[in-house]
Amino acid sequence: ARGKQSIANIQDFTARIDTKTSSVNKLFADTVLYDSIKSAVTELKSTIEKANDFANNINVFSKNLSTASDKLSDTTNTAGILLNDKQTAEDIQTTIQNLKAASKKLDEDLEALQHNFLLKGYFRKKNKTQQ
């Protein structure tokens, strides 16, 4: 029974191939359709390859981002210390404040030097040459 059914199916399929209006006949006989399908399959393969490459790049980027994040949390490197160590942050803030104060003091000292009787002549000459 199965053999007869298989033979009937093969005969039906063969009849469809021979019928010019059937899609099976068009698939086998129409070279334009065949070339179009072949081109579509080739483009699909290319798209899949590009998608795989993109996924791999995303995976690498994700791993790199994770590594960078781990380093920022690690207090054994400079970036990690700057971001996570409260004492270092306070020390840096104190250093900046000291630099600002020293800069202000230096400006005041330079201003005082310009009015010192020993250096007053030097600064007058310098101002005249700059004008």
Side-chain angles (χ1 to χ4, degrees), residues 11-20 22-26:
Q11 287 173 341
D12 182 50
F13 183 72
T14 307
R16 286 185 192 178
I17 291 174
D18 289 338
T19 305
K20 299 260 185 220
S22 75
S23 56
V24 176
N25 180 279
K26 288 179 182 176

Side-chain angles (χ1 to χ4, degrees), residues 82 85-101:
L82 289 174
D85 187 17
K86 184 178 179 182
Q87 184 60 49
T88 300
E90 289 172 3
D91 290 347
I92 290 172
Q93 190 172 21
T94 301
T95 301
I96 290 171
Q97 289 171 349
N98 290 341
L99 286 171
K100 286 180 180 178

